[in-house]
Amino acid sequence: MSTHETELLLTGMTCASCANRIERKLNKVEGVTASVNYATEKAKVSFDETVSTDDLIAVVKAAGYDARLPAPAVDDEPPEEGDGPEVKALRQRLLVSAALSLPVVVLAMVPAWQFTYWQWASLTLAAPVVVWGAYPFHRAAWTNLRHGTSTMDTLVSMGVLAAFGWSLYALFLGDAGEPGMTHPFDLTIERSSGTGNIYLEAAAGVTTFILAGRFFEARSKRRAGAALRALMDLGARDVAVLRDGVEQRVPVDQLLVGDRFVVRPGEKLATDGVVEEGSSALDAAMLTGESVPVEVGPGDQVTGATVNAGGRLVVRATRVGSDTQLAQMARLVEEAQNGKASAQRLADRISGVFVPIVIALAVGTLGFWLGTGAGATAAFTAAVAVLIIACPCALGLATPTALMVGTGRGAQLGILIRGPEVLEQTRRVDTIVLDKTGTVTTGTMTLLDVVPAGGEDPVQVLRLAGALEDASEHPIARAVADGARRSGPLPAVEDFANVDGLGVQGVVDGHAVLVGRPRLLAEWSQHLTPELEQALAGAQATGGTAVAVGWDGRARGVLVVADQVKETSAEAIGLLRGLGLRPVLLTGDHETVARSVADQVGIAAEDVVADVLPTDKVDVVKRLQADGHVVAMVGDGVNDAAALAQADLGLAMGTGTDVAIQASDLTLVRGDLRVAADAIRLSRRTLRTIQGNLVWAFGYNVAALPLAAAGLLNPMIAGAAMAFSSVFVVGNSLRLRRFS
């Protein structure tokens, strides 16, 4: 039976309990697996063909909330700036409530200012706050009551209405409405009938503090998702397409694979493609975090959303729409933000049963204090404080806000984290396996040295060899030709011939030139001199490839070519060791080559695994795991995909293949191994933030509830503390934005 996946946009959620309730309702449907994220207000749902998206939306509506499918993106729609409409509505409600509540709170706290009929003035000011300001809480509580459930809003609404209701009773039926009534602002328990006490400051103050918490929470959640929105907005909006040799400006969504388009200096590339004409430098800083522009020319792969910093380019589109690297990055980030860490799943289960327990605890507190003769005032104060302090909104925000900020910041730095379970693995990893080619080394052959025979000009040796090799497509030939071209234009070649397995021959500037293995030169009686033999042996000992050059009956020199170690690899190995990881070099190359690379970057000889077939890379990872190690693997090729999937933590170089990226847990957009260390540091920092948030949220509720039940917390202070808890958790998560 086929499985489908969709995403639902949810509205009406006000706390973690709401998210937990929707998730439970969806998961009760046969064939459905759902995960609801309170911070992103989205549900990620997998369902079989017996269920439709209409059925899923109906389940959410039956639970008392609303859901819809995401609208398709409109390319010419401008990105939304500033706060959204929900945040603006919250701000308006908060400002009005704060303006009305402030005099009520001040009058209650300063007995000297309690003028005649001050209590009736307080009622006039507090009533709009309790009715209109707290309306979202009352509405949510009523909706939940109709569905036979309760959430954090139930606690807030009950607490506010109880304080307000008691105040009305005391004013109209008790002694509190008499002219000249005063009462001190006191945080201690005292025996009294309570009919002379009003709690308007608690009702208005709690509403205002919780509205403030919700406002800052909503605004912070929007800021936390800003990195993803910025990523989505990076792409170009229109493009100059060449149709029948004529440029036409069209929206980027009309671009097709195979279309040729023009990119002028200062413009963004509309999509991924291959350069067909022109050369330039591309600034990929916004996409990869790489500050140095990359030189490109005909035949080079280029990525959409990078900026053309130099000349005019004509590019052929190879990937468009949702297949582009930018779209894949955004998708990976969004999937990660929608996930849940195991600790958060535990927090969700706790918040699901928390509200009924708190209501029972509030009733028990009321009964206990009444039973001990402390008086209705003390009993009522303690019960209301229990209702208000208990809201574990911070529990619901602990993981998603840290994940949103951490993964968003990672995307800005060129690090894509697939999900929260990845973060948990980074803490335990102790060994990191590094594929050599393309990861530690550049993956392309480079000319390293020219060793001329006695009396020969090294420039002439390279020039003639480069001209001949330029006619060949072999990687070693390309390295020699590219090295020679840096010194100037290459002469023409006549009578070029490829000698299978040995090298190439031809006529350059009137010289009969041979380039290849020493055996090729020997067949023409051009034997290497002792110094050239020594250079050849030295190159092979250090893992390089030596190419002999001769013409007109004599061996003239040796060219040394090798897959060059990346400049940053040695520094990266040091950074990985600093994180407590043991680096292991894995390669299919000969052991001599592998040991040479290991020496250059600082990997111990016993941590080199060479001569490994692509299919055996998985076995190496399994062997390390069997020895008790938790293994991370860094690779970039198709042959690394299985090992990346087998490893406890797979890190794919974004410069590598799509297969490797799909098999990995972390994708490094830049081909710089130092980013692997940054990725592990960021993941660990994000995990520590999540853990800190959860410890605070749990600890806060565990410590505050007994204080409230003991009557040591005024309801208004309880409301302020509860709001602060949520704001603290979101603020702590936002510190990840400064990670560098």
Side-chain angles (χ1 to χ4, degrees):
M1 192 176 286
S2 61
T3 303
H4 308 281
E5 282 198 356
T6 192
E7 194 173 70
L8 297 178
L9 304 183
L10 306 173
T11 51
M13 287 197 304
T14 53
C15 64
S17 292
C18 300
N20 184 259
R21 173 172 162 70
I22 295 171
E23 189 172 293
R24 281 189 289 111
K25 292 288 186 185
L26 285 170
N27 283 321
K28 280 182 181 176
V29 180
E30 191 172 343
V32 172
T33 306
S35 175
V36 176
N37 189 313
Y38 170 49
T40 59
E41 297 180 328
K42 290 177 183 176
K44 189 176 180 184
V45 190
S46 298
F47 56 100
D48 61 35
E49 55 205 24
T50 63
V51 182
S52 70
T53 52
D54 290 339
D55 296 333
L56 299 174
I57 291 171
V59 169
V60 176
K61 287 184 175 178
Y65 305 91
D66 208 352
R68 61 183 172 83
L69 294 170
V74 181
D75 281 303
D76 56 0
E77 188 178 281
E80 193 177 331
E81 298 289 339
D83 296 329
E86 288 181 17
V87 179
K88 288 174 181 173
L90 256 177
R91 183 195 288 118
Q92 183 186 27
R93 201 176 290 270
L94 169 62
L95 291 174
V96 173
S97 298
L100 294 172
S101 300
L102 183 61
V104 177
V105 173
V106 169
L107 283 172
M109 292 178 70
V110 187
W113 293 357
Q114 291 172 359
F115 54 86
T116 308
Y117 299 119
W118 71 274
Q119 67 273 45
W120 296 102
S122 292
L123 175 63
T124 306
L125 293 169
V129 178
V130 171
V131 176
W132 177 77
Y135 174 70
F137 311 129
H138 305 322
R139 182 184 56 197
W142 173 245
T143 301
N144 290 318
L145 184 63
R146 280 180 18 234
H147 289 89
T149 186
S150 56
T151 64
M152 309 307 160
D153 290 304
T154 309
L155 299 183
V156 176
S157 180
M158 283 178 67
V160 169
L161 289 177
F164 188 68
W166 183 271
S167 301
L168 290 177
Y169 167 76
L171 283 168
F172 288 99
L173 301 176
D175 307 326
E178 295 177 1
M181 184 279 286
T182 63
H183 66 68
F185 182 76
D186 198 347
L187 301 183
T188 59
I189 293 173
E190 58 182 42
R191 297 174 186 273
S192 74
S193 67
T195 56
N197 288 23
I198 59 174
Y199 291 97
L200 293 171
E201 81 282 0
V206 163
T207 300
T208 301
F209 280 125
I210 295 176
L211 279 174
R214 290 273 168 94
F215 167 70
F216 289 117
E217 178 187 307
R219 198 173 69 168
S220 297
K221 283 197 300 186
R222 188 169 174 78
R223 285 173 65 198
L228 178 58
R229 288 195 302 277
L231 198 63
M232 304 289 266
D233 293 337
L234 277 182
R237 301 204 171 271
D238 54 22
V239 57
V241 181
L242 285 173
R243 300 244 163 99
D244 299 323
V246 179
E247 280 188 40
Q248 295 179 15
R249 206 90 198 167
V250 299
V252 76
D253 60 346
Q254 293 182 18
L255 199 60
L256 303 174
V257 171
D259 278 348
R260 298 170 77 240
F261 61 93
V262 176
V263 191
R264 290 183 173 77
E267 288 184 340
K268 288 180 184 176
L269 268 72
T271 193
D272 301 356
V274 176
V275 177
E276 290 202 337
E277 296 175 24
S279 60
S280 181
L282 294 185
D283 182 355
M286 289 186 293
L287 195 65
T288 66
E290 177 61 70
S291 58
V292 180
V294 179
E295 295 289 336
V296 294
D300 287 335
Q301 299 274 349
V302 290
T303 306
T306 51
V307 178
N308 181 8
R312 178 181 182 273
L313 296 175
V314 176
V315 179
R316 179 171 46 82
T318 55
R319 292 194 287 196
V320 297
S322 60
D323 295 330
T324 63
Q325 186 176 340
L326 179 65
Q328 288 172 359
M329 283 175 66
R331 197 156 53 242
L332 280 171
V333 174
E334 192 159 21
E335 284 173 5
Q337 292 184 349
N338 281 334
K340 288 186 182 180
S342 58
Q344 182 64 32
R345 287 190 286 271
L346 173 64
D348 286 349
R349 286 198 294 274
I350 290 170
S351 66
V353 298
F354 198 80
V355 177
I357 291 172
V358 168
I359 292 172
L361 184 60
V363 172
T365 300
L366 182 69
F368 172 79
W369 286 114
L370 287 173
T372 56
T377 300
F380 180 76
T381 301
V384 171
V386 166
L387 287 174
I388 291 165
I389 197 72
C391 294
C393 290
L395 280 180
L397 292 167
T399 293
T401 51
L403 261 182
M404 287 172 74
V405 182
T407 53
R409 181 62 182 144
Q412 290 174 333
L413 297 172
I415 301 164
L416 304 182
I417 303 169
R418 193 172 286 275
E421 60 285 346
V422 172
L423 306 178
E424 287 157 5
Q425 292 289 35
T426 59
R427 178 182 54 187
R428 303 187 301 114
V429 165
D430 58 25
T431 303
I432 186 161
V433 176
L434 307 169
D435 173 56
K436 180 185 77 71
T437 307
T439 303
V440 177
T441 64
T442 60
T444 55
M445 301 299 273
T446 307
L447 179 68
L448 297 185
D449 197 11
V450 179
V451 183
E456 296 293 337
D457 178 8
V459 175
Q460 178 73 347
V461 171
L462 180 58
R463 181 171 172 273
L464 296 185
L468 190 58
E469 293 281 46
D470 195 36
S472 171
E473 290 300 320
H474 193 280
I476 292 175
R478 302 308 322 148
V480 172
D482 290 345
R485 197 177 285 107
R486 284 196 288 269
S487 301
L490 301 177
V493 178
E494 299 172 25
D495 299 330
F496 173 85
N498 184 54
V499 184
D500 283 346
L502 292 179
V504 291
Q505 62 187 45
V507 177
V508 183
D509 282 354
H511 302 288
V513 183
L514 302 170
V515 181
R517 295 177 185 268
R519 218 175 89 202
L520 174 65
L521 273 69
E523 287 180 1
W524 290 81
S525 299
Q526 298 180 14
H527 300 286
L528 301 188
T529 63
E531 59 185 321
L532 294 181
E533 291 277 10
Q534 190 177 350
L536 190 78
Q540 291 169 342
T542 56
T545 301
V547 179
V549 183
W551 66 80
D552 297 346
R554 279 183 56 202
R556 307 283 178 160
V558 166
L559 308 177
V560 180
V561 176
D563 179 8
Q564 199 168 16
V565 172
K566 292 179 182 177
E567 292 179 4
T568 57
S569 291
E571 183 186 345
I573 299 300
L575 292 171
L576 292 169
R577 286 193 191 280
L579 292 169
L581 304 178
R582 166 195 166 205
V584 174
L585 187 68
L586 181 65
T587 180
D589 273 352
H590 191 272
E591 188 155 347
T592 307
V593 178
R595 286 186 184 277
S596 170
V597 171
D599 285 343
Q600 291 179 62
V601 298
I603 295 177
E606 62 269 20
D607 290 330
V608 175
V609 184
D611 294 314
V612 177
L613 294 172
T615 52
D616 295 336
K617 290 187 176 183
V618 177
D619 297 330
V620 173
V621 173
K622 285 181 178 175
R623 193 163 65 243
L624 286 166
Q625 289 170 328
D627 291 340
H629 296 291
V630 180
V631 181
M633 163 87 187
V634 186
D636 72 332
V638 172
N639 59 0
D640 299 322
L644 286 167
Q646 173 63 37
D648 300 286
L649 181 70
L651 296 93
M653 293 295 208
T655 49
T657 63
D658 289 348
V659 179
I661 291 168
Q662 288 300 320
S664 68
D665 302 303
L666 283 161
T667 301
L668 316 176
V669 178
R670 275 186 279 157
D672 185 340
L673 192 56
R674 290 177 302 181
V675 184
D678 288 340
I680 292 172
R681 274 200 311 121
L682 175 61
S683 298
R684 288 180 176 178
R685 178 87 61 84
T686 305
L687 184 63
R688 282 200 303 274
T689 302
I690 290 172
Q691 291 167 336
N693 286 349
L694 287 168
V695 166
W696 166 264
F698 274 118
Y700 161 83
N701 285 120
V702 169
L705 271 173
L707 290 174
L712 300 176
L713 281 179
N714 177 285
M716 186 175 64
I717 294 173
M722 192 279 286
F724 171 75
S725 177
S726 293
V727 173
F728 171 85
V729 162
V730 177
N732 188 42
S733 299
L734 286 171
R735 292 191 307 134
L736 286 167
R737 296 173 78 187
R738 296 198 296 270
F739 177 88
S740 61

